[in-house]
């Protein structure tokens, strides 16, 4: 009895001591946790719309350390890594007793270290808490830290820290940085040889760097491939084939695209480690290649900028802020897509669009290109010559200044500025100045991004599009009234798509316009197809003159080359809206055959208003409005002359209430002949007979 009592006391005391030891270890573990927060220090990344790396920034200590998840890496690599480094990784609790016993026995037998016993967990402990010396105490600390790490993290989390922090020579850390630097690709798909090399390098990252010690790297790769556990994973004959693959002999630069946008994103949100953009790397890569090549042909101190956007979403898919971010001679650090500059003639299509919309002109209307004086403002053409009588179509294609100012005088500069506001664009006027005729020739300030946003509405059949900023500003369509009516937009596109490409450039099927600012300071070219719009600016960031630059000769070739190398297929421009046609000059109504102006630059007018005249549709026209398909589209109606308000009738029945506008719409009830009539405020009438198909 006495003996059993003593035994019970001994067992109880032992349990108390054990519990105390466990509690003490747990307390020590909590008091001295592993520095896992160091594992969170990774490179900042800028990604494209598909999650592809555009640009990375080194950590504060200058390391390329890209955060890596297990799904970012080829599964075969992970299997090879575990097979080579830690076969019982998924079974032990941070320390492998069998490996420790084997290593100890080999040390006693051979008097030296034959093989290590470090598990992946112990290596992670060393990576986040490195020691300068390889002493017994340092090894013991790694062992303890491995046990602590295993208590806190899952096996996948431990593996991902290794994949992110493993050293690969120089300032490369992690398998993603190594794969990009040595193979030029993400590690999602690796060959057996590539995977084996990435497994081998962390054991001696400096001594096995393939760009400096190719023989050592190749030998280390071979040791991985011939390890039986690894050979079992590679498959029949794969190891032999991998052994014959060449070792990469140079280190590649990590992706470094979209410098300005990346800098802006990281400066605005430095706390975020991954910034998602709307850019597409293939497009961005093509635009930057064109920018580099074009720069070599430009004069010193001249830079360029480009913006490409998807007009269906408003997303910026490519953006180049300067010719070279690091070129101080060209002030490359300045993002020229956001700087106000004079747009030259690039606003002219919007003037012509307003004139088409208001029924003032048709494409083949004759307009004068002769010296004119608009109350002291005397515009001159770029080449200082005049063409005489030209059609509206020719005037826009040749970018003649005087006809554009005549039309702007007719439609009104203020109305043009109001239309830009519909597209959330606000060109900047000189201080204390109201909108004047000079805005038609570049007398305002506008950024390349806003100019592209304006043209995006042209490419989107008149519907305004809000461009994003590439990162955190959401793009999309702007609800409300259109910038221009679809019929007017089609006429503009029909004219601009027929402008000859610059010499040496192929026809691409795009509509485009060029511009040159006063004093040869800015050269512009903006083009669009049915899906994308691209704008190009060339000039000096300090606003200095660049003799010889011009939109057509300097910027347009870059536009065509950039469209070609962006990799996007050219989408056809939208077809003409129902009922819209381009009439020959002989088929125009009398009032539309010539745009007549007085010497003062005003539309010709007598003391008594001329009677109303329907200028569209013309008498006897056959218009296809889709009646055969059963889905009839409305027909645009336009008139000239007469005194407002106007009343429209179709086959004797009023269409709407009285209107002061000279445009209207009529929805036919079906196919066949119809008579359209307009009556002005003093009872004068005009009629046309049309056939709806």
């Amino acid at each position: 009895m006495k003996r059993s009592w003593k035994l019970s006391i001994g067992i109880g005391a032992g349990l108390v001591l054990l519990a105390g030891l466990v509690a003490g270890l747990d307390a020590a573990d909590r008091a001295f946790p592993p520095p896992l927060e160091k594992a969170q220090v990774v490179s900042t990344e800028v990604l494209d719309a598909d999650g592809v790396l555009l640009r990375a920034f080194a950590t504060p200590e200058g390391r390329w350390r890209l955060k890596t998840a297990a799904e970012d890496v080829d599964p075969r690599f992970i299997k090879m890594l575990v097979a080579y480094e830690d076969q019982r990784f998924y079974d032990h609790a941070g320390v492998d007793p069998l490996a420790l016993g084997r290593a100890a026995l080999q040390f006693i037998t051979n008097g030296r270290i034959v093989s290590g016993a470090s598990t992946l967990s112990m290596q992670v402990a060393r990576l986040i808490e490195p020691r300068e010396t390889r002493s017994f105490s340092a090894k013991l600390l790694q062992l303890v830290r491995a046990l602590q790490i295993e208590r806190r993290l899952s096996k996948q989390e431990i593996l991902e820290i290794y994949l992110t922090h493993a050293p690969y020579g120089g300032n490369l850390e992690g398998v993603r940085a190594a794969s990009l630097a040595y193979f030029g690709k993400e590690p999602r798909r690796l060959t057996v040889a590539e995977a084996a090399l990435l497994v081998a390098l962390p054991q001696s990252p400096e001594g096995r760097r393939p760009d400096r010690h190719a023989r050592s790297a190749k030998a280390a790769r071979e040791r991985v491939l011939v390890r039986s556990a690894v050979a079992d994973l590679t498959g029949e004959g794969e190891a032999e084939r991998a052994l014959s693959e060449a070792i990469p002999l140079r280190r590649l630069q990590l992706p470094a695209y979209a410098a300005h946008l990346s800098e802006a994103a990281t400066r605005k949100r430095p706390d975020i480690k991954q910034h998602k953009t709307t850019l597409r790397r293939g497009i961005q890569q093509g635009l930057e290649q064109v920018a580099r090549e074009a720069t070599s042909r430009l004069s010193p101190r001249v830079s360029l900028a480009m913006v490409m956007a998807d007009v269906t979403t408003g997303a910026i898919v490519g953006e180049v802020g300067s010719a070279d971010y690091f070129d101080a001679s060209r002030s490359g650090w300045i993002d020229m897509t956001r700087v106000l500059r004079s747009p030259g003639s690039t606003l002219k299509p919007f003037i012509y669009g307003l004139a088409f919309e208001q029924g003032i002109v048709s494409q083949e209307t004759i307009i004068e290109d002769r010296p004119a004086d608009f109350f002291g403002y005397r515009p001159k053409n770029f080449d200082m010559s005049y063409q005489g009588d030209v059609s509206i179509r020719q005037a826009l294609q040749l970018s003649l200044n005087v006809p554009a100012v005549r039309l702007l005088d007719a439609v009104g500069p203020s109305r043009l500025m109001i239309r830009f506001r519909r597209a959330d664009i606000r060109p900047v006027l000189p201080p204390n100045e109201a909108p004047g005729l000079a805005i038609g020739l570049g007398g305002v300030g506008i950024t390349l991004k806003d100019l592209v946003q304006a043209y995006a509405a042209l490419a989107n059949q008149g519907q305004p599009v809000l461009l994003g900023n590439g990162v955190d500003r959401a793009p999309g369509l702007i609800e409300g009234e259109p910038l221009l009516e679809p019929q007017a937009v089609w006429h503009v596109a029909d004219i601009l798509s027929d402008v000859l490409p610059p010499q040496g450039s192929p026809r691409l099927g795009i509509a485009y316009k060029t511009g040159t600012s006063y004093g040869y300071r800015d050269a512009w070219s903006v083009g669009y197809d049915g899906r994308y719009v691209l704008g190009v600016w060339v000039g000096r960031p300090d606003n200095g003159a660049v003799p010889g630059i011009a939109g057509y000769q300097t910027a347009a070739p870059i536009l065509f080359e950039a469209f070609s190398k962006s990799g996007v297929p050219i989408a056809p421009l939208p077809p003409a809206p129902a009922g819209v046609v381009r009439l020959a000059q002989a088929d125009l109504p009398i009032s539309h055959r010539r745009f007549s102006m007085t010497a003062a630059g005003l539309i010709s007018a007598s003391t008594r208003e001329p009677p109303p005249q329907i200028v569209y549709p013309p008498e006897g026209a056959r218009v296809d409005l889709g009646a055969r398909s059963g889905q009839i589209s409305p027909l645009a109606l336009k008139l000239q002359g007469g005194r407002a308000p106007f009343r429209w009738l179709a086959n004797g029945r009023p269409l709407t209430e009285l209107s002061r506008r000279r445009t209207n719409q009529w929805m036919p009830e079906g196919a066949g002949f119809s008579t359209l009539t307009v009556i002005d405020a003093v009872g004068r009438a005009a009629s046309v007979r049309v056939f709806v198909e």
Side-chain angles (χ1 to χ4, degrees), residues 187-209:
R188 293 187 182 90
R189 295 288 182 271
L190 297 170
T191 66
V192 171
E194 291 169 344
L197 182 61
L198 293 179
V199 168
L201 294 183
Q203 281 70 53
S204 180
E206 293 303 325
R208 297 175 180 178
R209 281 183 59 170

Side-chain angles (χ1 to χ4, degrees), residues 366-433:
I366 298 300
I367 191 169
E368 293 181 0
D369 179 37
R370 294 183 176 86
D373 187 332
F374 298 87
F375 300 101
Y377 179 55
R378 300 180 180 86
K380 297 179 177 60
N381 286 324
F382 183 74
D383 60 1
M384 305 303 291
S385 65
Y386 298 91
Q387 302 292 320
D389 283 355
V390 294
S391 68
I392 290 292
R393 183 180 182 87
Q394 291 170 326
L396 180 53
Q397 289 180 340
L398 296 174
S399 195
L400 301 177
N401 288 343
V402 176
V405 174
R406 291 186 190 277
L407 290 179
L408 181 58
D409 190 37
V411 301
S414 295
R415 182 175 285 112
L416 179 64
M417 297 293 279
I418 290 171
R419 291 303 180 94
F420 284 136
R421 285 201 290 271
R422 290 184 183 180
D424 198 29
I425 298 165
R426 289 170 173 78
V428 178
L429 292 163
N432 303 318
E433 283 196 19

Side-chain angles (χ1 to χ4, degrees), residues 85-86 89 92 94-96 99 117-124 146 150:
E85 288 287 350
D86 190 357
F89 171 66
H92 61 65
V95 178
D96 187 350
S118 290
T119 62
L120 286 173
S121 304
M122 293 172 66
Q123 293 184 49
V124 165
E150 290 272 353

